[in-house]
Amino acid sequence: MDTKLRVIINSLCSVAGRMISVIIGLILTPFMLDKLGPAAFGIIPLIMASILPFLEISTAGISTSVGRYVTLHRARHETEEANRYFNTSFFALLGLCVFACLPILALSYYFPSIFKVAKGWERRSQWTMLVAGVAFIISAASGPYGVGMYYRQRFDLRSAFEVAAALARAGTIVLLFCVIAPNTVYVAVGMVVAASVLGVANVATAYRMLPGLRTSWQFFSRDKLRDVSAFSFFLVISRLSLILFVSTDYLLINWLLPKEDVTVYNLGARWAPVMRGFMAAAVFVLGPLVTILDATAQHDRIRRIFLRGTRVMLLIICPVAIFFCVLAKPFMTVWVGGIYPEAVEPAVRVLWVMVLPLVMNLAVMPAFTMFTAMGRVRVVALVTLGAALANIGLSIWLAVGLNLGILGIAIGSSACLLAKNAAFTPWYMCRLCGSPLKSFYRLFPGPIAACLPGAGLAILVQYVANISNWPAIFLTGGCCVLSYLLIVYFFCLTADEKEQVSAGWARVRKVFRREQSQKHE
């Protein structure tokens, strides 16, 4: 299949898979919040969004580096070397999983002593942490086998497996809640089921997509372990920095503020990681391609991919972030207002602070994929770590010193990340690929300006009408998106891009007509 077509298909399938997962979460969250209550529900984001990511630090570097090394050596037809890197990474991860058992057991036992837990949920919080730790071990141990889909660039297949895992998780939770009783432990059981489904899929596809792949201790190499560890070290630093940005928020809130604030913060802050996940799924498909281009010194193509990828990201994320912020209050009211009405206003403010900066933060996401694919993570990791540490101090000062509460936590997290991504990240990527810095910044005005009429329309509709149900929200959002698409097509796209859009639309119509004619026959 043509490389360009494969990238497009992978991106669309990855985004579609994320969309289905978001819809599942959109339905599941009010269900669990209603069954558990705000205080007990807060245990779930505390474990899933704060504690597990810190455990994942121990395996994240190796899990990422195995894809790069196997792809690199497979591209050079060095199957033996690829096997050595795969097995070295796999057995190193198994060892890390064994060592991870100790902190999992300790956290499970002391969970009610370390964190604020709703009265009567102390024992259940311990079991929730323990079972969630089991899910982490299953996921980490089977992770290297995902290299098969990574090397073959079959992210469409991976997305299908992730959707199946998400459905299995949701089905398990609903079934256990309804048949037995609402319990946070059953949420962790759902995580174990999802990790098992994805693990089996990874293992099954790896051997099919990588002929000659073997899992054997004989391929373990200390020399390869040093290579993987050296590359993984700065990936771990980078991962740690990201976690300090997005995962310490819940810990700070649990320790410094009322425990119910964890739930309120989660309702507003959860959408930034969701959108980041969407865009990561779309740009992650560039990883193996950029690795191959870097290995063959095709730096001019890397530069074009960076600028084109950034432009596409802006065209996508600008309307999503801006329109979502404009419609945040009616969305939050319809979503959880009936269950937890006092959380709507603070959750909306948190959403504004976390989502709006994504216009810049996600525009640079292609650069992060390329840093990893090209093995240029050292400087990025150190700068990100510095910004993350500043985020913790700023968040504490704003939340406690200025008494801004969860809004101060959100501002501290967003401000530091925005400063880094607006200044350092584009400068460093442009320096690596030989592109002028102004070529990056001049991509922003068009997509942002194209959103303004739609945003004004949404504000006007809220002023003159009461948006109080899902159809009204989707209709208003649809009108905003339609106005944006028209403005982008007529004023932002080049003549060549318009021709490509027209050609693509013509192909879609041709396929549709062919299917219709086949039905009539």
Side-chain angles (χ1 to χ4, degrees):
M1 182 181 293
D2 178 70
T3 301
K4 184 177 180 180
L5 182 59
R6 169 54 64 190
V7 169
I8 293 173
I9 291 175
N10 284 338
S11 297
L12 291 176
C13 290
S14 298
V15 170
R18 288 282 180 172
M19 178 65 75
I20 295 172
S21 298
V22 168
I23 292 172
I24 293 171
L26 197 65
I27 298 171
L28 196 60
T29 296
F31 172 79
M32 293 190 296
L33 182 59
D34 183 44
K35 297 291 185 181
L36 296 171
F41 178 85
I43 297 171
I44 299 170
L46 185 62
I47 292 175
M48 293 179 62
S50 285
I51 299 174
L52 288 185
F54 277 101
L55 290 175
E56 290 168 0
I57 291 174
S58 60
T59 62
I62 294 178
S63 297
T64 303
S65 62
V66 64
R68 180 179 185 273
Y69 280 113
V70 171
T71 299
L72 195 63
H73 288 286
R74 280 273 177 169
R76 296 170 178 170
H77 306 289
E78 298 170 352
T79 305
E80 193 77 9
E81 283 292 287
N83 272 338
R84 292 190 183 280
Y85 276 107
F86 172 80
N87 283 276
T88 300
S89 301
F90 173 69
F91 287 107
L93 277 175
L94 283 184
L96 290 173
C97 287
V98 172
F99 283 114
C101 291
L102 183 61
I104 289 172
L105 291 172
L107 281 169
S108 301
Y109 185 79
Y110 292 106
F111 194 91
S113 303
I114 301 173
F115 306 103
K116 298 175 186 175
V117 178
K119 189 175 181 180
W121 286 83
E122 292 83 1
R123 177 69 65 180
R124 283 174 282 188
S125 69
Q126 292 174 311
W127 279 104
T128 303
M129 180 65 236
L130 182 62
V131 178
V134 173
F136 157 73
I137 290 174
I138 294 173
S139 178
S142 61
Y145 286 95
V147 71
M149 288 179 280
Y150 182 88
Y151 171 68
R152 294 295 181 185
Q153 302 183 44
R154 291 302 307 272
F155 298 100
D156 53 338
L157 195 59
R158 192 181 75 163
S159 297
F161 292 140
E162 288 175 347
V163 168
L167 289 171
R169 171 179 171 269
T172 302
I173 293 171
V174 172
L175 180 65
L176 294 177
F177 270 46
C178 294
V179 173
I180 304 178
N183 196 328
T184 54
V185 178
Y186 301 145
V187 179
V189 172
M191 294 170 59
V192 171
V193 172
S196 300
V197 169
L198 205 54
V200 170
N202 282 342
V203 174
T205 55
Y207 287 104
R208 188 178 184 86
M209 294 185 175
L210 292 175
L213 177 68
R214 293 176 58 191
T215 304
S216 172
W217 175 256
Q218 295 177 352
F219 287 103
F220 183 87
S221 168
R222 292 184 179 180
D223 292 337
K224 306 308 179 190
L225 182 61
R226 281 194 291 268
D227 292 342
V228 170
S229 300
F231 183 70
S232 300
F233 175 76
F234 290 102
L235 285 176
V236 169
I237 297 297
S238 182
R239 177 72 174 177
L240 173 62
S241 304
L242 181 61
I243 289 173
L244 290 175
F245 269 119
V246 301
S247 298
T248 53
D249 295 355
Y250 294 101
L251 298 177
L252 293 175
I253 293 169
N254 184 268
W255 289 331
L256 302 175
L257 303 172
K259 56 181 176 292
E260 292 81 5
D261 283 356
V262 171
T263 298
V264 179
Y265 187 82
N266 176 256
L267 295 176
R270 65 186 300 154
W271 301 105
V274 166
M275 294 181 189
R276 190 179 295 112
F278 268 111
M279 298 299 103
V283 302
F284 186 70
V285 302
L286 298 175
L289 174 61
V290 173
T291 297
I292 294 171
L293 293 177
D294 186 52
T296 53
Q298 299 183 54
H299 300 299
D300 189 56
R301 286 190 64 187
I302 294 176
R303 179 185 62 80
R304 292 200 301 270
I305 290 173
F306 165 61
L307 293 176
R308 179 69 64 85
T310 301
R311 187 162 185 266
V312 171
M313 292 292 288
L314 279 170
L315 290 172
I316 296 172
I317 194 57
C318 281
V320 173
I322 294 173
F323 296 157
F324 191 35
C325 286
V326 172
L327 295 170
K329 188 170 183 179
F331 168 82
M332 199 66 66
T333 302
V334 174
W335 185 42
V336 295
I339 301 171
Y340 200 6
E342 60 268 31
V344 171
E345 288 291 341
V348 168
R349 289 194 290 269
V350 169
L351 187 151
W352 288 339
V353 172
M354 299 296 285
V355 170
L356 202 55
L358 293 179
V359 171
M360 174 60 73
N361 292 336
L362 297 189
V364 298
M365 188 160 282
F368 287 109
T369 300
M370 293 179 177
F371 291 149
T372 302
M374 299 166 66
R376 308 295 179 86
V377 296
R378 182 176 181 176
V379 176
V380 178
L382 295 176
V383 172
T384 307
L385 179 61
L389 294 174
N391 150 57
I392 295 176
L394 181 61
S395 296
I396 294 174
W397 178 63
L398 292 172
V400 180
L402 297 185
N403 201 30
L404 292 179
I406 59 174
L407 184 62
I409 300 288
I411 293 173
S413 180
S414 292
C416 293
L417 188 61
L418 178 62
K420 179 189 76 76
N421 287 334
F424 167 76
T425 304
W427 168 80
Y428 189 58
M429 187 63 215
C430 288
R431 181 173 176 269
L432 287 179
C433 66
S435 177
L437 185 58
K438 64 181 181 181
S439 63
F440 171 82
Y441 289 114
R442 68 186 181 194
L443 297 172
F444 282 78
I448 293 175
C451 293
L452 299 182
L457 174 64
I459 293 172
L460 179 63
V461 170
Q462 292 181 71
Y463 182 76
V464 301
N466 182 25
I467 304 179
S468 57
N469 52 63
W470 289 118
I473 292 174
F474 286 122
L475 180 61
T476 305
C479 293
C480 295
V481 171
L482 180 60
S483 70
Y484 171 78
L485 292 176
L486 291 173
I487 293 171
V488 166
Y489 182 80
F490 288 106
F491 298 102
C492 295
L493 298 185
T494 63
D496 290 340
E497 289 170 337
K498 289 180 182 179
E499 186 176 341
Q500 291 176 5
V501 170
S502 300
W505 176 244
R507 284 196 294 268
V508 171
R509 292 177 61 188
K510 185 177 180 180
V511 171
F512 180 76
R513 288 174 180 173
R514 186 188 306 135
E515 291 180 353
Q516 291 297 316
S517 63
Q518 289 175 352
K519 288 181 180 180
H520 289 306
E521 292 175 359

